[in-house]
Amino acid sequence: MMRIIFLECKKVFMSPLFIGLFIVFSMFNMYLIVDNSYFKEELKIANGLAETYGLEITNESLHQLEEDIKLEVGKMTEMTGQEVESVFSFFDQLSMEDYEKYSEEEQSFFHQLQLKEAYLNVAKQIDSDYEGLSMKALAEAEIEKYQLSGNAAEILLTEAEKLSIRFDKLKQTGEHKQWFFLGQPYEMHSFLFRTIVKAVVFEALILIVLATALLTTYEFENRTHLLVYATKRGRIVMKDKLFASLLVTTVIVAMLLGVTLAAYFTVFDYAYLWKSSISSALNWEYNFPYITWWDMPFWKFLSLVIVLLYSCILLFTAITYAIAVAVKNSYFTFFIFAVFFAICFMLPGFMPLSSSLLFITTFNLSVVVMNPHLLFTGNGGLVMFKYHEVLTVTVWTVIALVLYWLVSNHFKKVDIH
Amino acid sequence: MIVLKDVSKRYGDFTALHDINLEFTNGLYGLLAPNGAGKTTMIKMLATLMRPSGGEILYDGKDIFQMEETYRTLLGYLPQQFGFYKNYSPKQYLLYLAALKGIGKKEALVKIEELLEKVALPDVMNKKMKKFSGGMIQRVGIAQALLNDPKVLILDEPTAGLDPKERARFRHLLSELGRDRLVLVSTHIVSDIESIANEIVMIKNRQILYKDSVEKICQTLEGHVYETSIKYEELDAFRNRAILLSEKQEQGNTIVRFIHKGKPDVAWLPVTPQLEDVFLYEYRDDVDGEV
Amino acid sequence: MLRVLWNEMKKIWTWKMLGLLFIVNLILFFLVIEFEIEYFPNGRPELDSYRIGMEMIEKYGIEMDEEDIADFKQVYEAQVTEADRYLQARSEFVEVGWDTYEKYRAYDPFEHPEERKEELDFQLMHEEQVDLFWELQERERLIEFHDWKEVGLESIIADSPEPQKTRYVELLENRMFQLYPEVAIRNFDRFIEGVAATILISVLLVVSPIYLQDRNRRLLDLQYTTEKGRALYRTKVLAGTLSSFWVVTGLLAVYFVIYAQNKTSPYFDVPIHMFIGKEYWYDPTFFQYIVLCTIGIYVLSFVFVFLAMGFSTIMPNYVALIGIQIPLVIWMIGDGFNRLLTGMIDLWTAKWMVPTVYIVFVIVSVGVMVYLSKREKKRDISM
């Protein structure tokens, strides 16, 4: 049986098309990463801070940082011959001509210090900023913005309450007081998860749907169906094909993710920030910081996201397989899957704004997979539920199993012409 | 009417056929050879699906590839494996092909009814072909080959999937057809054509081995074919003495039919060579058992 | 022979294909097009921009001379007076010191934020959404564009490289300034890109299987030995091209009818250089620009159709057929349409680039089909 599975997998891995697409996709990902890497030198500041002052932002470490900055600013006063209060105010009154009078080293020094100042300022304001945050207000704003009412609004408010509790706990433990890349200018969280990981997910899905469709309908399209299904292994080969597809999926995702993430972490050094909590106050890109339901350091979040997405993609493989067995035509399988994926994703948008259906319909794989940056996160809009991901995967595993069972039974008995 | 002149076919390094010189006129010809001998290659060339690497194929003196549709109008072809639309009925399928064959719709409908009668499928004219048995599909294939009343009818393994009754009917149809047109049947079911073919063409080693009537071909083995009864245990030893054509178990003994070119044993019974014997003899290198 | 063509069309247009085409269009419509129709104009100030634009066209036509601009400014002044009155009539505004429009306008939330003023501002603009104040804002923007039109253009000229510079000089000399609100044309740009993507996917969906289908089903042996023979290849080219034509035309018709709901027709006669924002090499009117985009869609669709038919001829299976087209389609939708369709006459794209690309595309795709069609005549059919 293993040999059959191996031979099936070969059909995909030896195909120039898959190899070609893999290369194209990988290159595109590289391009994405490199194109956005112009600020990677600046990111070293955050690493430096974590290294020097420890990952946690305590009153002492903050104080220390402030002192150190004051010293550096003092140096600036020497260097520039002006009375410098802060780098920010210095630049404010600096003209382009004067700036160019300084050497590259000096400019770099100013710049670095300016960044440190920025980090310091943000860090100092954490407490007051967080005081002003209310999960309830967030929920109410969302209700207002999307014009929710009835059940939908209630559900949102209930979740907001739960999130409030979590938020309070977070404040207490100081989980959010950890260094990370500054959210606003760099948006590293979005970049990694929403841009890069999502691109990988899309690419993987394309490859996998094509591969699964290819394997599953292979005999029919190559007219070897009469031969193969009459062999000793017979129709059970279909099960082998499912395993082969799952195996192919695993390998493709691993390779694509591996190559892309390797490139990403080579370009962007996370050195001391691997343990930084996702809920760090610095991970604040838009109106709210990211607040995960559980205390999660970056590495854990990344791992969980990968595991979760893997599961979803494997489920997608199974669903594609079921479609392929039913339809027996790889061309239509591809488009039917695309339609299915799109419908799942778009469904919540068509639900009445007062109904709980609005939220129920977000428990599907497409929604999960299209929002890697909001996974396990409380303020993730429609997908904010604490167990959203777990529930979705569980429910859809059941659905996939049922589909497999249905389709298998059908195939066992269906006439093969 | 069809002449193959110095025809050869090469695929890269591999030569499938060379120095093929043949002439066909009206009548029924059988093309006999094992698979891989070049049968299908020759047929595909005659059907214009492949071009010869060397030499030419002429119909009434004109190159069939230059004649283009003038030749194909006269051509009826049944490939070994052919495709069809499983959601079409035979009527729809034949109408589709009739259009490609340049037959007007009204005329086609009449012909289709006739032909489906002829191949004994009148009741299923409007049923979807995906429900058909292999034999039924084969018969539809034969029908389509006859749609345009071809002057050159080429059939590649036409009796595959037909039961004995159907094969008998088919033999009858073929000999009728062979009266006023060229019919070329490629097969390895010798019994299908030995009784009806005017001439048999056999290909060996990429060239023509025989092109002659059945009798004349059988005569090549005249006096060398025998049958005798031996014990089963003697079989292996026997193989070293003669070329085995067939073995039959009867009442505890093995009746062997074989070829021996030297002096016969007394116990051996000389029999009239059949076409099958020649076939097995000539192609024995490709088969088990060497002398 | 027409019957053969008809038969091939029937093979393309099966019920399954029609159903799939319909669903795919439905999904794509909601995914990329619907937004531009339902949310047009999209909130404020777009709504006001749109309205004022309509007013300008009605009063001043497609060009504004000095008289017109003076009139526009007068309207503005009148509104300012009205605003003054409005503010004065409401005590809460007077209380914070906003008893004239000028004082209200002077408030800078970045320099000196004040909570009460923030509240009131929010109430005025977002809760109550008082038209007057939105309009005033937009008129100010337009007036500013007008006042700075010459200086602005001159400074751009100073910084521009050739050949853009020449064009800018031309614009300045012919007094072709940007004065009109651009809401309508930007909306159209986004709309048409969505439509182009939808049409591209639709047309490829329908046409791609064309050659692969019969090859898969081992029909070539029978087809090529009929009288029609290998000429069938060209019949299929025709069938595919015709089918594509119907798909593109049909979908364009449907989506343009839907577009009419945006009621942008008053803007149609305005030359597009008048719209604030982009500069162009040429001076079509908005309507001519729409026509240009439509032609672009036809050409690009046919280029892709020919390529698809080419792939259909040589790819070994459906998966490869889809797989090889995916990077091309993704590029086209993500980037290509932007450059080649709505960016066709963009001043900052080299003038020769777009026509050249189009011509190359057409030559390559047609060339491929000509080559394959000739090849089909001669090649050995073994499968």
Side-chain angles (χ1 to χ4, degrees), chain C residues 130-143:
Chain C
V130 181
D131 284 353
L132 184 60
F133 287 84
W134 283 105
E135 278 191 29
L136 279 169
Q137 212 175 286
E138 179 62 14
R139 285 185 203 274
E140 277 164 32
R141 183 180 82 110
L142 293 171
I143 289 176

Side-chain angles (χ1 to χ4, degrees), chain B residues 37-245:
Chain B
K39 234 183 0 190
T40 304
T41 305
M42 185 186 299
I43 291 220
K44 287 208 165 194
M45 286 197 286
L46 286 167
T48 71
L49 289 174
M50 297 207 203
R51 303 185 88 108
S53 314
E56 46 183 11
I57 304 180
L58 306 170
Y59 178 84
D60 282 352
K62 288 181 274 203
D63 184 315
I64 61 174
F65 294 96
Q66 277 170 9
M67 282 171 76
E68 301 215 5
E69 58 201 27
T70 339
Y71 175 68
R72 290 194 305 270
T73 293
L74 321 156
L75 182 63
Y77 174 50
L78 177 63
Q80 200 170 0
Q81 281 171 334
F82 60 93
F84 55 94
Y85 302 116
K86 55 185 206 262
N87 282 316
Y88 278 27
S89 66
K91 180 160 143 198
Q92 288 170 309
Y93 179 62
L94 291 170
L95 273 174
Y96 173 78
L97 287 167
L100 288 174
K101 291 183 193 253
I103 304 175
K105 189 161 179 190
K106 282 206 192 101
E107 198 190 324
L109 283 168
V110 171
K111 279 219 166 128
I112 289 171
E113 243 185 271
E114 267 174 34
L115 286 171
L116 287 177
E117 260 314 322
K118 220 175 208 169
V119 296
L121 291 173
D123 310 323
V124 292
M125 188 151 73
N126 291 307
K127 295 228 161 73
K128 288 197 181 182
M129 280 168 75
K130 69 175 167 196
K131 305 267 178 198
F132 281 16
S133 71
M136 290 163 82
I137 295 186
Q138 192 67 13
R139 284 185 277 160
V140 174
I142 295 166
Q144 70 76 29
L146 297 171
L147 262 179
N148 53 330
D149 204 23
K151 292 244 145 270
V152 177
L153 182 61
I154 302 180
L155 309 165
D156 199 345
E157 308 283 353
T159 56
L162 299 183
D163 66 40
K165 184 171 131 207
E166 287 162 345
R167 299 232 292 274
R169 178 188 290 118
F170 186 64
R171 278 201 292 280
H172 182 72
L173 177 63
L174 281 184
S175 44
E176 249 185 61
L177 290 169
R179 283 198 205 123
D180 49 5
R181 69 198 82 216
L182 162 59
V183 180
L184 179 60
V185 178
S186 153
T187 181
H188 14 65
I189 304 176
V190 179
S191 56
D192 271 345
I193 48 161
E194 72 178 322
S195 50
I196 50 174
N198 299 122
E199 279 188 348
I200 303 284
V201 176
M202 284 170 73
I203 303 177
K204 184 171 170 176
N205 289 335
R206 297 177 279 286
Q207 294 186 301
I208 303 296
L209 179 63
Y210 293 121
K211 177 182 174 281
D212 224 329
S213 66
V214 179
E215 298 93 50
K216 295 241 179 66
I217 293 181
C218 292
Q219 265 167 32
T220 60
L221 281 182
E222 191 68 55
H224 298 302
V225 188
Y226 306 91
E227 280 187 11
T228 190
S229 168
I230 55 172
K231 298 236 184 336
Y232 183 73
E233 300 78 48
E234 296 170 356
L235 196 53
D236 272 338
F238 204 81
R239 284 212 181 92
N240 294 329
R241 295 183 61 191
I243 299 165
L244 248 52
L245 295 170

Side-chain angles (χ1 to χ4, degrees), chain B residues 233-288:
Chain B
E233 300 78 48
E234 296 170 356
L235 196 53
D236 272 338
F238 204 81
R239 284 212 181 92
N240 294 329
R241 295 183 61 191
I243 299 165
L244 248 52
L245 295 170
S246 71
E247 315 147 19
K248 216 166 30 175
Q249 301 292 339
E250 223 178 63
Q251 292 154 351
N253 283 334
T254 307
I255 309 224
V256 286
R257 187 182 175 95
F258 59 94
I259 293 174
H260 183 79
K261 290 221 168 157
K263 204 156 170 283
D265 267 9
V266 193
W268 296 356
L269 180 65
V271 288
T272 319
Q274 301 296 309
L275 190 56
E276 180 124 12
D277 302 327
V278 180
F279 186 91
L280 289 169
Y281 175 67
E282 292 296 347
Y283 297 118
R284 65 189 181 277
D285 298 337
D286 307 328
V287 177
D288 263 340

Side-chain angles (χ1 to χ4, degrees), chain A residues 47-328:
Chain A
N47 272 313
L49 289 173
E51 184 184 359
T52 320
Y53 303 100
L55 188 59
E56 308 241 345
I57 304 174
T58 60
N59 284 332
E60 294 87 48
S61 68
L62 213 51
H63 185 69
Q64 183 68 34
L65 174 61
E66 204 164 3
E67 292 298 310
D68 290 342
I69 289 183
K70 277 212 191 105
L71 283 174
E72 309 259 311
V73 171
K75 275 202 208 134
M76 271 185 77
T77 306
E78 280 174 36
M79 288 163 70
T80 65
Q82 294 173 6
E83 191 63 38
V84 183
E85 264 184 42
S86 72
V87 187
F88 180 68
S89 62
F90 172 69
F91 273 125
D92 210 23
Q93 50 83 47
L94 190 65
S95 70
M96 200 57 193
E97 290 169 1
D98 291 337
Y99 178 69
E100 280 169 9
K101 288 198 193 127
Y102 296 102
S103 73
E104 249 185 68
E105 274 164 27
E106 287 169 328
Q107 285 178 359
S108 159
F109 177 75
F110 297 153
H111 195 53
Q112 304 255 338
L113 198 53
Q114 180 185 35
L115 288 172
K116 274 198 200 155
E117 256 185 17
Y119 275 94
L120 176 67
N121 286 331
V122 170
K124 274 169 42 178
Q125 286 190 298
I126 292 181
D127 283 332
S128 62
D129 284 340
Y130 269 57
E131 273 313 301
L133 289 179
S134 152
M135 297 301 118
K136 189 148 170 274
L138 168 65
E140 279 168 3
E142 296 275 299
I143 293 176
E144 181 71 39
K145 187 159 101 173
Y146 295 111
Q147 302 274 301
L148 305 179
S149 60
N151 275 341
E154 263 181 55
I155 293 178
L156 202 57
L157 286 170
T158 319
E159 290 304 306
E161 263 182 58
K162 291 189 202 158
L163 190 57
S164 243
I165 299 175
R166 153 74 181 145
F167 185 57
D168 288 332
K169 184 155 163 256
L170 176 146
K171 280 194 281 189
Q172 267 177 10
T173 59
E175 183 192 321
H176 59 306
K177 293 194 176 167
Q178 294 185 4
W179 293 112
F180 192 65
F181 303 114
L182 217 47
Q184 291 238 319
Y186 305 124
E187 293 184 6
M188 294 304 283
H189 184 79
S190 291
F191 181 59
L192 175 58
F193 292 102
R194 193 171 60 189
T195 309
I196 303 289
V197 169
K198 196 152 109 169
V200 169
V201 166
F202 254 129
E203 295 156 0
L205 275 178
I206 291 175
L207 287 173
I208 278 146
V209 171
L210 287 177
T212 307
L214 178 73
L215 287 182
T216 314
T217 60
Y218 200 84
E219 316 312 328
F220 290 102
E221 294 195 347
N222 280 287
R223 318 213 118 213
T224 49
H225 50 294
L226 297 174
L227 298 175
V228 171
Y229 296 123
T231 57
K232 174 177 168 191
R233 190 86 184 147
R235 301 187 190 214
I236 303 183
V237 146
M238 275 318 225
K239 202 162 69 172
D240 296 329
K241 285 177 185 286
L242 176 60
F243 284 122
S245 303
L246 292 171
L247 189 57
V248 165
T249 298
T250 309
V251 172
I252 287 180
V253 173
M255 283 177 67
L256 207 48
L257 254 185
V259 165
T260 307
L261 287 182
Y264 178 84
F265 287 113
T266 308
V267 170
F268 300 108
D269 190 7
Y270 274 62
Y272 291 90
L273 299 173
W274 284 95
K275 299 208 187 109
S276 175
S277 166
I278 294 289
S279 307
S280 155
L282 292 180
N283 196 13
W284 190 329
E285 294 172 1
Y286 308 109
N287 296 325
F288 266 80
Y290 288 99
I291 299 172
T292 49
W293 282 106
W294 300 270
D295 181 3
M296 261 195 251
F298 171 75
W299 65 266
K300 197 164 169 201
F301 183 78
L302 179 63
S303 313
L304 281 178
V305 165
I306 291 178
V307 166
L308 181 70
L309 290 177
Y310 235 125
S311 320
C312 293
I313 295 180
L314 284 173
L315 287 172
F316 277 130
T317 305
I319 292 174
T320 308
Y321 169 82
I323 298 176
V325 172
V327 169
K328 298 199 200 67

